[in-house]
C-alpha cells in the first residue's frame, strides 16, 4: 500500500512504499520564508522506496557546501521534495503534500529558537533549539518508533 502525495493541481504525484513516516517540523527562518508559513513539515525517506510520477521542475541552491535540488510542480509550483548532495540516498518530502497530511504529527520540532511566539508545542515531543545532531535526531526517531 504505502503513502502518496500530490501537488495542488494534480500534475505531479509521488508514492512512498512505506507505511509510516517520521515527520519533523522545522521552524527556521529559511523554512518560514520558503513555505510562506510559520514552519515547514518535512519527512525523510529512502530514495529506493520513493517514486515520482510526472516531470518536476527543479532548482538548485547551495548552503554550506551542500547542494540542494528542490523539486516542484512546473504547473502550479507546489514544492514537493528535495534531495541533497550530502545524503544522496535520501529524499526529503514536503510533508504537507502527502494525501494523509492531516493525520501526520511531527515527532520532533527543530530550530525552535526561531519559532513564532504564538506556536505552542506539545511538551511530550522532542524539541531542539537549532538543528539536532544526527545522534539526537536518531534518538527522537527511536522514541517515536517506540510510541507507535
Ligand atoms: Zn501542480
Ligand atoms: Zn528549516
Amino acid at each position: 500500500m504505502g503513502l502518496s502525495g500530490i501537488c495542488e493541481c494534480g500534475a505531479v504525484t509521488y508514492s512512498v512504499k512505506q507505511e509510516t513516516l517520521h515527520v519533523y517540523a522545522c521552524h527556521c527562518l529559511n523554512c518560514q520564508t520558503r513555505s510562506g508559513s510559520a514552519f515547514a513539515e518535512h519527512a525523510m525517506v529512502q530514495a529506493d522506496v520513493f517514486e515520482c510520477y510526472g516531470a518536476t521542475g527543479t532548482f538548485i541552491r547551495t548552503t554550506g557546501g551542500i547542494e540542494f535540488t528542490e523539486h516542484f510542480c512546473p504547473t502550479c509550483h507546489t514544492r514537493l521534495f528535495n534531495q541533497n548532495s550530502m545524503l544522496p540516498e535520501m529524499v526529503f518530502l514536503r510533508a504537507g503534500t502527502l494525501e494523509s497530511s492531516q493525520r501526520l504529527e511531527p515527532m520532533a520540532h527543530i530550530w525552535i529558537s526561531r519559532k513564532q511566539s504564538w506556536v505552542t508545542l506539545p511538551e511530550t515531543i522532542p524539541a531542539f533549539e537549532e538543528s539536532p545532531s544526527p545522534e539526537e535526531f536518531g534518538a527522537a526517531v527511536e522514541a517515536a518508533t517506540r510510541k507507535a
Side-chain angles (χ1 to χ4, degrees), residues 2 10 12-13 16 31 35 38 40-41 49 56 79 81-82 85 91 95-96 102 108 111 114 119 131 137 141 146-147:
V12 181
T13 61
V16 181
C31 282
S35 66
E41 286 186 293
V49 298
T56 56
R79 286 173 62 235
F81 61 94
N82 73 46
S85 58
V91 174
Q102 72 279 12
W111 275 99
R114 307 315 285 268
V119 176
S131 287
F137 193 76
V141 170
R146 268 200 309 273
K147 224 165 57 175

Side-chain angles (χ1 to χ4, degrees), residues 2-142:
L3 298 157
S4 58
I6 189 165
C7 68
E8 193 190 13
C9 78
V12 181
T13 61
Y14 63 82
S15 69
V16 181
K17 284 177 197 65
Q18 190 170 300
E19 296 307 316
T20 53
L21 282 181
H22 296 302
V23 174
Y24 61 96
C26 182
H27 298 260
C28 83
L29 277 186
N30 288 341
C31 282
Q32 293 188 26
T33 303
R34 279 186 223 121
S35 66
S37 189
F39 56 87
E41 286 186 293
H42 309 274
M44 202 162 56
V45 299
Q46 297 277 347
D48 59 5
V49 298
F50 175 82
E51 199 151 358
C52 182
Y53 311 96
T56 56
T58 58
F59 67 93
I60 293 174
R61 63 187 166 84
T62 307
T63 308
I66 304 166
E67 213 171 73
F68 293 83
T69 306
E70 302 279 352
H71 293 259
F72 59 91
C73 168
T75 305
C76 70
H77 288 209
T78 302
R79 286 173 62 235
L80 293 151
F81 61 94
N82 73 46
Q83 289 189 279
N84 74 60
S85 58
M86 195 174 75
L87 294 166
E89 73 283 7
M90 304 303 290
V91 174
F92 296 82
L93 307 176
R94 309 292 100 182
T97 61
L98 284 155
E99 291 187 296
S100 55
S101 64
Q102 72 279 12
R103 293 200 305 272
L104 299 171
E105 191 184 338
M107 55 96 204
H109 290 267
I110 72 172
W111 275 99
I112 62 163
S113 57
R114 307 315 285 268
K115 178 178 83 56
Q116 293 193 5
S117 58
W118 59 268
V119 176
T120 309
L121 302 178
E123 278 169 27
T124 51
I125 308 281
F128 302 93
E129 284 298 310
E130 296 184 2
S131 287
S133 68
E135 292 75 25
E136 290 171 323
F137 193 76
V141 170
E142 215 169 280

